[in-house]
Amino acid sequence: MPDPWPTAITNIKPNSVRVRGYDIAELMGRCSFGQMVYLLLLGEPPDAPTGRLMEAILVSSVDHGATPPSALAARTVASTGASLSASVAAGVMSINRHHGGAIEACAHTLGEVVEKARFGKTLDEASDDVIGGYKKRGERIAGFGHRVHTADPRTRRLFELAAEAGVGNTPDTEPSHVDAARALERAFARAGKPLPINVDGAIGAILADLGFDHATMNGIFMIARAPGLVAHVVEEQHRMKPMRKIDPASHTYDGPADRTAPNQE
Amino acid sequence: MPDPWPTAITNIKPNSVRVRGYDIAELMGRCSFGQMVYLLLLGEPPDAPTGRLMEAILVSSVDHGATPPSALAARTVASTGASLSASVAAGVMSINRHHGGAIEACAHTLGEVVEKARFGKTLDEASDDVIGGYKKRGERIAGFGHRVHTADPRTRRLFELAAEAGVGNTPDTEPSHVDAARALERAFARAGKPLPINVDGAIGAILADLGFDHATMNGIFMIARAPGLVAHVVEEQHRMKPMRKIDPASHTYDGPADRTAPNQE
Amino acid sequence: MPDPWPTAITNIKPNSVRVRGYDIAELMGRCSFGQMVYLLLLGEPPDAPTGRLMEAILVSSVDHGATPPSALAARTVASTGASLSASVAAGVMSINRHHGGAIEACAHTLGEVVEKARFGKTLDEASDDVIGGYKKRGERIAGFGHRVHTADPRTRRLFELAAEAGVGNTPDTEPSHVDAARALERAFARAGKPLPINVDGAIGAILADLGFDHATMNGIFMIARAPGLVAHVVEEQHRMKPMRKIDPASHTYDGPADRTAPNQE
Amino acid sequence: MPDPWPTAITNIKPNSVRVRGYDIAELMGRCSFGQMVYLLLLGEPPDAPTGRLMEAILVSSVDHGATPPSALAARTVASTGASLSASVAAGVMSINRHHGGAIEACAHTLGEVVEKARFGKTLDEASDDVIGGYKKRGERIAGFGHRVHTADPRTRRLFELAAEAGVGNTPDTEPSHVDAARALERAFARAGKPLPINVDGAIGAILADLGFDHATMNGIFMIARAPGLVAHVVEEQHRMKPMRKIDPASHTYDGPADRTAPNQE
């Protein structure tokens, strides 16, 4: 018989479920879901402001209406009579390079800037270099600019919360991905193409500074978007006729009017 | 051209993403992910203790080690070289009647007890009736007893947090699903089969009292389990050889030793 | 160690792959794919005309253009940069009650007619009864009539090939599902609603007469449609831009002009 | 309104379904499913021997028992109570680089040999070169050798049928992928590592000579394996208990005993 195969995630014993060594029952009521995501994927619990930052990242990406392909794939599958889980799975399967992938791609580009800045260049010089390289190879830099949102308030908010958590605040030590994002914005402006970092880019910068693997970042987007996908599938099942032709360009919002968030927590 | 189709979930305008009327940027840093899930699926924001309860529900189900079929399906697909999203999707597709479905099934049974108790019977009489009915039809009542956990501390903790949020505390008005769960436990004991409610049953009772649709409950389990699935797929991709034979019965935990949760937040 | 679990499908030994007892290498070049599908799912090989009928059933359903939800789901997932297999899987996941499900649903209804005709009623009386029952319960009978095709030549061709294979030709013995389909057409006409059986209904009738389980029929549609899904995904990947908005109502065919099939084989 | 988007696969008009210009109703009974797959993916109908070859390719890969990850993923998902389509989709999602991918990978390697042989080298010299290159880069050549089958009769049969169809018979013109496969076998033997081409490699060689895109080849494997996946899911649903632990290493075949294929068609 072969050796048992190893896993370092969760230890199950009678009346005990321990994630990365911590008893889930003990974490319940004390650890937020964002903290749990951090613990599960990085192996250690975050401090409180970092936990709050993780929550904000998840909240920022929870839904983006009816047009993303993940929502459309989930609704299309749901309209055939599929189960909730199969429909949500079709949405998850749509989170790839072109949808959600800007987080990882931007983190990669920022990593290139950081790397160059580690070896003697300023962040501004490094940014000009990196932009030049992409231009020469005919490649696009992901995470900057947006079809719909030119000044996305989610981005500003993320950087505020990142600053509160001490993420990206590294003036005199080694350059952060958040610093590199700012430097790239300046470089785009210098090149006459003012492209502000977008919400995906901001998340990529922050997750990279937190120490997440590039390959895991798309997973955080999946976790964040799961509630949105469930909501779209439930709405499709309850409100729409089966087998309707779902035109992605023609829909209207008829939910609650604009209202102000309660200042709780 | 046909009328635009309606959606009441999220309203996208330039530089504005509003979920159920609330600006996401405004919610970030103030609203936990659990509160967001509640808002997204029920349409209104929860109060703070209910938000904390939602967080605890999500945290309680975030992972259950390597044996659940969702983890095994995700790992099996990952072992073929599939993308992270396809692998996680295979895990989501495994959340159905027999896996995660006890939440919904138990909520349904508790609803039967509550219904009978609304019409003149005590909860104890209603519970005996309902157990008798299942027995006669040769059906199992889901959400009570567990293969591995006989006294699951997650269950106790959930009921504590539910009590703090005022969920299920309805002595003199109409019976709650949480009350019905306790009554069913007593009825099982009277029948000589002491089956404590398990974590799925507790979640079903609480979600029903919070007003969630039975059909949505499995979706909350998918949301909760998404981080666990991402963690399993990432571990499989980084640590294991492709195309290995994954024996569900033979694995070993080699992660951090037992440790105590930091008392933060 | 638990007992090994049993499977009766395929026996793998060194240099030998036997499906239901037959050596695949021996079948290659002699057994058509349609015969193989029959052998795999029913356990015994069909005779030659039945094999030809199976091929025709698979060929009839191989594709239906860009509007079915399976093609749209597959293309939507593909447009995000998903792999071929994940995209095709999203298409397969769309084959459910409302898409492809008419085959199974019609077989079920025809089974009701056959059952009644076994116990003393004529097929015409049984058909009137069954139609009356559906009407009373407010349910639709699947497999009759079509949004687009009012006289589908595929249906006529299927019944011709079924007759050649001796399927449904049972005048003096027990009623066949094909007979029941004809009787239901007459009953619809008598009721003033001339609804011809459609291609799904014809397939359901024939598969039922061949002895296929209702639960397997949707699987035959998945097998038949797999090449169409592969073709749509490959076309999407090669010809279209990523993340395009796919309007199901607005597309145009620009492939080869109408031409006549070569009379080979 | 944007222009309609184009598709060159299937043209749907009332009472007419035309694939690549051919009326499906006309093809039914005359065109095998293998011919249809060729027509759908390459755009033109094959001649009769090539159609027979396509059938043999599909038949050769229809199932490989209970151990491939596609069968295990499909069964694992099915065991949770998933629908047939979701379970089969999980199997399809498992067809990737490490499972089924040897077809495409081998075709790619054979293409390298053919390319070198086009520019002055003999196939034997080109094969030595290519093997040397893989060795230097520390990469494995796919499609040669097999864990279980050392002399797979399916491989021999495929090459026989390919020869009958005139595929790979190009002694004095330009080198074929089939020729390159033979040359690679000789080169492996010369290098003291006698690795015969396996069934995946043979399919890759033949599909490349038929003109299929590398990216489409995995799709042909999905089409071929779909019936096997349906059979495994149906067996799991009918014969096994839900939520069983599926050990891939411990199963036993209890189907029909070895028997000889009928010599029909």
Side-chain angles (χ1 to χ4, degrees):
Chain A
M1 212 166 98
D3 282 348
W5 54 273
T7 175
I9 302 169
T10 301
N11 195 6
I12 307 290
K13 290 185 218 158
N15 302 319
S16 160
V17 180
R18 284 184 176 267
V19 169
R20 306 289 188 190
Y22 294 107
D23 186 340
I24 279 192
E26 229 183 309
L27 295 175
M28 287 163 62
R30 287 205 275 164
C31 166
S32 74
F33 195 64
Q35 288 176 301
M36 183 49 111
V37 169
Y38 183 105
L39 169 62
L40 206 45
L41 297 179
L42 288 184
E44 294 299 324
D47 59 25
T50 302
R52 206 144 46 235
L53 178 60
M54 285 299 300
E55 290 283 303
I57 288 172
L58 296 176
V59 165
S60 74
S61 301
V62 79
D63 195 51
H64 202 263
T67 49
S70 53
L72 290 164
R75 283 177 175 271
T76 301
V77 171
S79 80
T80 66
S83 66
L84 179 58
S85 69
S87 307
V88 171
V92 171
M93 285 162 62
S94 307
I95 295 174
N96 289 302
R97 189 155 66 95
H98 300 300
H99 178 31
I103 295 172
E104 175 182 338
C106 184
H108 178 79
T109 307
L110 298 174
E112 293 179 66
V113 173
V114 165
E115 198 59 24
K116 281 180 192 286
R118 238 178 230 143
F119 294 98
K121 300 211 173 175
T122 67
L123 278 169
D124 285 320
E125 290 164 354
S127 297
D128 289 336
D129 271 21
V130 164
I131 289 180
Y134 276 74
K135 207 171 172 179
K136 193 182 287 178
R137 296 192 302 275
E139 291 172 20
R140 246 186 93 259
I141 291 182
F144 291 82
H146 197 282
R147 288 171 297 129
V148 183
H149 306 303
T150 52
D152 191 331
R154 294 176 300 172
T155 309
R156 198 180 39 73
R157 194 74 184 103
L158 277 176
F159 283 126
E160 277 172 25
L161 291 160
E164 286 176 25
V167 173
N169 298 338
T170 53
D172 46 2
T173 60
E174 91 162 16
S176 71
H177 293 78
V178 167
D179 293 333
R182 294 307 184 200
L184 269 175
E185 283 186 328
R186 290 192 299 270
F188 278 123
R190 271 196 303 280
K193 274 180 55 177
L195 285 175
I197 193 161
N198 62 30
V199 70
D200 290 337
I203 294 173
I206 293 166
L207 292 180
D209 280 337
L210 289 173
F212 284 93
D213 237 31
H214 295 175
T216 309
M217 293 180 185
N218 231 2
I220 292 175
F221 186 74
M222 291 169 214
I223 294 166
R225 188 54 58 90
L229 293 172
V230 170
H232 281 285
V233 172
V234 168
E235 190 181 68
E236 184 72 27
Q237 290 176 329
H238 283 67
R239 218 181 156 186
M240 304 299 185
K241 287 208 180 128
M243 292 291 283
R244 69 185 181 98
K245 286 203 190 337
I246 303 176
D247 181 352
S250 172
H251 57 88
T252 186
Y253 174 76
D254 67 351
D258 290 3
R259 44 185 175 166
T260 302
N263 199 348
Q264 64 180 244
E265 193 180 29
Chain B
M1 211 166 97
D3 282 348
W5 55 273
T7 176
I9 301 169
T10 301
N11 195 7
I12 307 291
K13 289 187 220 159
N15 302 318
S16 159
V17 179
R18 284 183 176 269
V19 169
R20 307 288 189 192
Y22 294 107
D23 187 340
I24 279 191
E26 229 182 310
L27 295 175
M28 286 162 63
R30 288 206 272 164
C31 166
S32 74
F33 194 64
Q35 288 175 303
M36 183 49 110
V37 169
Y38 183 105
L39 169 62
L40 205 46
L41 297 179
L42 288 183
E44 293 298 324
D47 59 25
T50 302
R52 206 144 44 234
L53 178 59
M54 284 299 298
E55 290 284 303
I57 288 172
L58 295 177
V59 165
S60 73
S61 301
V62 79
D63 194 51
H64 202 265
T67 47
S70 53
L72 290 165
R75 282 177 175 271
T76 302
V77 171
S79 80
T80 66
S83 67
L84 179 59
S85 69
S87 307
V88 171
V92 171
M93 285 161 64
S94 306
I95 295 173
N96 290 302
R97 190 155 65 94
H98 301 300
H99 177 30
I103 296 172
E104 175 181 339
C106 184
H108 179 80
T109 307
L110 298 173
E112 292 179 66
V113 173
V114 165
E115 199 59 23
K116 280 179 192 287
R118 237 177 229 141
F119 295 98
K121 300 213 171 174
T122 67
L123 278 170
D124 285 320
E125 291 164 353
S127 296
D128 289 337
D129 271 22
V130 164
I131 289 179
Y134 276 74
K135 206 170 173 179
K136 193 183 287 176
R137 295 191 303 277
E139 291 172 19
R140 245 187 95 260
I141 292 183
F144 291 83
H146 197 282
R147 287 171 297 130
V148 182
H149 307 302
T150 51
D152 191 332
R154 295 176 298 171
T155 310
R156 198 180 39 73
R157 192 73 185 104
L158 278 175
F159 283 126
E160 277 173 24
L161 290 159
E164 285 176 25
V167 173
N169 297 338
T170 54
D172 45 0
T173 60
E174 95 160 16
S176 70
H177 292 77
V178 168
D179 293 334
R182 295 304 184 203
L184 269 174
E185 284 187 325
R186 290 191 299 270
F188 278 122
R190 271 197 302 281
K193 273 180 54 176
L195 285 175
I197 192 161
N198 61 33
V199 69
D200 290 336
I203 294 174
I206 293 167
L207 291 179
D209 281 338
L210 289 174
F212 284 91
D213 239 30
H214 294 176
T216 308
M217 291 179 186
N218 231 2
I220 292 174
F221 186 74
M222 291 170 216
I223 295 165
R225 188 52 59 92
L229 293 172
V230 170
H232 281 285
V233 172
V234 168
E235 190 181 65
E236 184 72 26
Q237 290 176 330
H238 283 67
R239 218 180 155 186
M240 303 299 186
K241 286 210 181 126
M243 293 290 284
R244 70 185 180 99
K245 289 204 190 331
I246 304 176
D247 180 353
S250 172
H251 56 88
T252 185
Y253 174 76
D254 67 352
D258 290 4
R259 43 185 176 166
T260 304
N263 200 347
Q264 64 180 243
E265 193 179 31
Chain C
M1 210 165 99
D3 282 349
W5 54 274
T7 175
I9 301 168
T10 300
N11 196 6
I12 307 290
K13 289 186 221 158
N15 302 317
S16 159
V17 180
R18 286 185 174 268
V19 169
R20 307 289 189 191
Y22 295 107
D23 186 340
I24 279 192
E26 229 183 308
L27 294 175
M28 287 162 63
R30 288 206 271 164
C31 165
S32 74
F33 194 65
Q35 287 175 302
M36 182 49 110
V37 169
Y38 183 105
L39 169 62
L40 205 46
L41 297 179
L42 289 183
E44 293 298 323
D47 60 25
T50 302
R52 207 144 44 234
L53 176 60
M54 284 299 299
E55 290 283 303
I57 288 172
L58 295 177
V59 165
S60 73
S61 301
V62 80
D63 194 51
H64 202 264
T67 48
S70 54
L72 290 164
R75 281 177 175 272
T76 301
V77 172
S79 80
T80 66
S83 66
L84 179 59
S85 69
S87 307
V88 171
V92 170
M93 285 161 63
S94 306
I95 295 173
N96 289 302
R97 189 155 66 93
H98 300 300
H99 178 29
I103 295 172
E104 175 181 339
C106 184
H108 179 80
T109 308
L110 298 174
E112 292 180 65
V113 173
V114 165
E115 199 60 23
K116 281 180 190 285
R118 236 176 231 142
F119 295 98
K121 301 212 172 174
T122 66
L123 277 170
D124 285 321
E125 290 164 353
S127 297
D128 289 337
D129 271 21
V130 164
I131 289 179
Y134 276 74
K135 206 171 173 178
K136 193 183 288 175
R137 295 191 303 276
E139 291 172 18
R140 246 187 94 259
I141 291 182
F144 291 82
H146 198 281
R147 288 171 299 128
V148 182
H149 307 303
T150 50
D152 190 332
R154 294 176 299 172
T155 310
R156 197 179 41 70
R157 192 75 185 103
L158 278 175
F159 283 126
E160 277 172 23
L161 290 160
E164 285 176 25
V167 173
N169 298 337
T170 54
D172 46 1
T173 60
E174 93 160 16
S176 70
H177 292 79
V178 168
D179 294 334
R182 294 304 183 204
L184 269 175
E185 283 188 325
R186 291 191 300 271
F188 278 123
R190 272 196 303 280
K193 273 180 54 177
L195 285 175
I197 192 161
N198 62 32
V199 69
D200 289 337
I203 294 174
I206 293 167
L207 291 180
D209 281 338
L210 288 174
F212 284 92
D213 239 30
H214 295 176
T216 308
M217 292 179 185
N218 231 1
I220 292 174
F221 186 73
M222 291 169 216
I223 295 165
R225 188 54 58 93
L229 293 172
V230 171
H232 281 284
V233 172
V234 168
E235 190 181 66
E236 184 72 26
Q237 290 176 330
H238 283 66
R239 217 179 156 186
M240 304 299 185
K241 286 210 181 126
M243 292 291 285
R244 70 185 181 98
K245 288 202 189 334
I246 305 176
D247 181 353
S250 172
H251 56 86
T252 185
Y253 174 77
D254 67 352
D258 290 4
R259 43 186 174 165
T260 303
N263 199 346
Q264 64 180 244
E265 192 179 32
Chain D
M1 211 166 96
D3 282 348
W5 54 274
T7 176
I9 302 168
T10 301
N11 195 7
I12 306 290
K13 290 185 218 160
N15 302 319
S16 159
V17 180
R18 284 183 175 269
V19 169
R20 306 289 188 191
Y22 294 106
D23 186 341
I24 279 191
E26 228 182 309
L27 295 175
M28 286 162 63
R30 287 205 275 165
C31 165
S32 75
F33 194 64
Q35 288 176 302
M36 182 49 109
V37 169
Y38 183 106
L39 169 62
L40 206 45
L41 297 179
L42 288 184
E44 293 298 324
D47 59 26
T50 302
R52 206 144 45 233
L53 177 59
M54 285 299 299
E55 290 282 303
I57 288 172
L58 296 176
V59 165
S60 73
S61 301
V62 79
D63 195 50
H64 201 264
T67 48
S70 54
L72 290 164
R75 281 177 176 271
T76 301
V77 171
S79 80
T80 66
S83 66
L84 180 58
S85 70
S87 307
V88 170
V92 171
M93 285 161 64
S94 307
I95 295 173
N96 290 301
R97 190 155 66 94
H98 300 299
H99 178 29
I103 296 172
E104 176 182 338
C106 185
H108 178 79
T109 307
L110 298 174
E112 292 179 66
V113 173
V114 164
E115 199 59 24
K116 281 180 191 286
R118 237 179 230 141
F119 294 98
K121 300 211 173 176
T122 66
L123 278 170
D124 285 319
E125 290 164 352
S127 296
D128 289 336
D129 272 20
V130 164
I131 289 179
Y134 276 73
K135 206 169 174 180
K136 193 182 288 177
R137 296 192 302 275
E139 291 172 19
R140 246 187 92 261
I141 292 182
F144 291 82
H146 198 283
R147 288 172 297 131
V148 183
H149 306 304
T150 51
D152 191 332
R154 293 175 301 171
T155 309
R156 200 179 38 72
R157 193 74 186 102
L158 277 176
F159 283 127
E160 277 173 23
L161 291 160
E164 285 176 25
V167 173
N169 297 338
T170 53
D172 46 1
T173 61
E174 91 161 19
S176 71
H177 292 79
V178 168
D179 293 334
R182 294 306 183 201
L184 269 175
E185 284 186 326
R186 289 191 300 269
F188 277 122
R190 269 197 302 281
K193 274 179 56 177
L195 285 175
I197 193 161
N198 62 30
V199 69
D200 290 336
I203 294 174
I206 292 167
L207 291 180
D209 281 337
L210 289 173
F212 283 93
D213 238 29
H214 295 175
T216 308
M217 292 179 185
N218 231 1
I220 292 175
F221 186 74
M222 291 170 215
I223 295 165
R225 188 54 58 92
L229 293 172
V230 170
H232 281 284
V233 172
V234 168
E235 189 181 66
E236 184 72 27
Q237 291 176 329
H238 283 68
R239 219 181 155 187
M240 304 299 184
K241 286 208 181 128
M243 293 291 284
R244 70 185 180 99
K245 287 204 192 332
I246 304 177
D247 181 353
S250 172
H251 56 87
T252 185
Y253 174 76
D254 67 351
D258 290 3
R259 43 185 176 166
T260 302
N263 199 347
Q264 64 180 246
E265 195 181 28

